[in-house]
Amino acid sequence: MASTQPTGVTPARSEETKNITQAFEGLGTDDKLALLYYIYEKMGDSITPAAPTAADAEISPQLLRDFYNLSDDQQLAAMREIVNREDTQVSRAYGALSENNQLLVWYAWAQGMGDTVVDMPLDYKAQSEVNSILSQIENLDFEGQISLLRQVAGDMGYSPVDPVPSQEETGKTPSL
């Protein structure tokens, strides 16, 4: 049976990034979307080189070209499907991407917000948890930020493929 749950934490991640990831997972759907937007707004200049240069912008036209032709309500619904790991066409397209390409999707959407991508609602008020998590992310070094964002982005979307358990989860080393 396919799993739609997060793939877990890798042993290479620090305790701090594990805690931030868990806090992110505890947020509601719209708060997760808002936090991603705030991350790219505040740290976009430092995140930008990490995602697009390591990603292929042509890999998912459904998410990077056709998405812009959807209505605001359809765009928001698609984002929510991805965050909620729903078994939908758009969430499967996202789930099939590499983590770098997933980061590219969020970067492109953040860059288009208010123009070609649905904007933040004017009446949205960030929960204190959103601001706290954003502050914690800002305090991470660059590698920690990218590692965290890759984990968060990689845990979204739907994939019918079960993730391979990590050494930390199984207690066994990989073998041939």
Side-chain angles (χ1 to χ4, degrees), residues 6-11 161-174:
T7 57
V9 281
T10 60
V161 178
D162 286 328
V164 175
S166 69
Q167 179 180 350
E168 183 177 50
E169 294 168 323
T170 64
K172 298 177 183 178
T173 59

Side-chain angles (χ1 to χ4, degrees), residues 2-67:
S3 170
T4 61
Q5 294 304 310
T7 57
V9 281
T10 60
R13 292 191 28 232
S14 72
E15 200 61 37
E16 185 177 21
T17 59
K18 289 177 188 178
N19 292 337
I20 296 170
T21 301
Q22 288 174 344
F24 179 86
E25 286 301 322
L27 295 174
T29 302
D30 289 342
D31 288 329
K32 288 178 183 176
L33 289 171
L35 182 56
L36 286 169
Y37 174 73
Y38 293 145
I39 289 169
Y40 279 102
E41 278 293 296
K42 288 194 170 230
M43 296 179 284
D45 291 340
S46 62
I47 294 168
T48 303
T53 58
D56 180 2
E58 298 302 317
I59 200 149
S60 183
Q62 180 181 15
L63 298 169
L64 293 177
R65 185 186 66 224
D66 300 346
F67 180 85

Side-chain angles (χ1 to χ4, degrees), residues 73-162:
D73 288 341
Q74 290 170 319
Q75 287 180 351
L76 184 56
M79 289 179 185
R80 286 175 173 157
E81 290 168 5
I82 291 168
V83 168
N84 292 328
R85 302 176 187 97
E86 294 176 23
D87 185 1
T88 64
Q89 185 178 1
V90 70
S91 189
R92 280 177 175 258
Y94 177 89
L97 298 175
S98 71
E99 289 173 345
N100 283 333
N101 282 315
Q102 290 169 337
L103 287 176
L104 176 63
V105 166
W106 289 111
Y107 170 76
W109 289 350
Q111 293 299 302
M113 280 188 80
D115 183 24
T116 56
V117 176
V118 61
D119 205 353
M120 288 277 282
L122 295 175
D123 60 347
Y124 176 79
K125 194 72 166 165
Q127 301 284 337
S128 60
E129 293 88 359
V130 171
N131 293 324
S132 173
I133 295 169
L134 181 60
S135 177
Q136 292 173 55
I137 293 169
E138 287 177 304
N139 289 328
L140 294 173
D141 64 19
F142 176 75
E143 291 301 319
Q145 290 174 352
I146 294 301
S147 174
L148 176 87
L149 287 172
R150 279 194 181 107
Q151 180 70 40
V152 165
D155 285 346
M156 292 184 204
Y158 180 86
S159 176
V161 178
D162 286 328

